[in-house]
Amino acid sequence: MKKLLLISALLFSGGVWAECSTAKIPKIKGMDSITYDDKGRSSLLENGWKPIPLSKQEQEDMTFFNKKTPEKYCSATMCISTFQDNNKNELTVTQVGDFISDIEIECSIKQ
């Protein structure tokens, strides 16, 4: 339930859920893939999100691995990029075709 509320807060307000102590999340929903790679990714990096690179095995398994976007995994129908902030929260961007179809944030649990 908490995850759904976070996604809703992100998609509708472009803000950050108060309980998820996280880096700023810029609005990127709906950008086309070219804009995302050029502007959306840069915006995430500027706001404190760091790419989570694919493992060496994942890189070797991919036909078209791009070193400029080491966090991006693409299949025939979609691409997934994952980032992490300083608080170990994870943000995942899913692109289907030319459009971002989903942005999801998973908050780390502080103990």
Side-chain angles (χ1 to χ4, degrees):
M1 181 67 176
K2 186 175 181 182
K3 195 178 212 180
L4 289 174
L5 292 173
L6 288 172
I7 294 169
S8 296
L10 172 65
L11 296 179
F12 294 112
S13 71
V16 178
W17 181 260
E19 292 181 30
C20 186
S21 178
T22 187
K24 183 179 176 185
I25 304 169
K27 282 188 173 184
I28 57 175
K29 179 89 173 150
M31 290 185 174
D32 63 44
S33 61
I34 295 168
T35 305
Y36 168 71
D37 287 343
D38 293 344
K39 294 180 183 175
R41 184 178 187 277
S42 295
S43 186
L44 286 170
L45 297 174
E46 289 168 7
N47 283 285
W49 293 95
K50 296 170 186 70
I52 299 176
L54 301 175
S55 69
K56 294 279 186 199
Q57 181 64 43
E58 290 170 322
Q59 291 175 17
E60 290 171 3
D61 290 345
M62 287 183 57
T63 307
F64 301 105
F65 175 70
N66 185 345
K67 291 182 181 180
K68 291 182 181 181
T69 54
E71 75 285 354
K72 191 172 190 176
Y73 173 83
C74 293
S75 68
T77 58
M78 70 177 168
C79 292
I80 298 172
S81 301
T82 307
F83 298 84
Q84 190 174 63
D85 69 3
N86 291 332
N87 296 315
K88 305 273 189 242
N89 300 310
E90 288 189 10
L91 181 130
T92 303
V93 178
T94 304
Q95 293 170 256
V96 175
D98 290 337
F99 296 94
I100 294 172
S101 64
D102 191 33
I103 298 170
E104 188 174 315
I105 184 167
E106 185 173 327
C107 296
S108 67
I109 299 173
K110 296 190 178 202
Q111 298 180 357

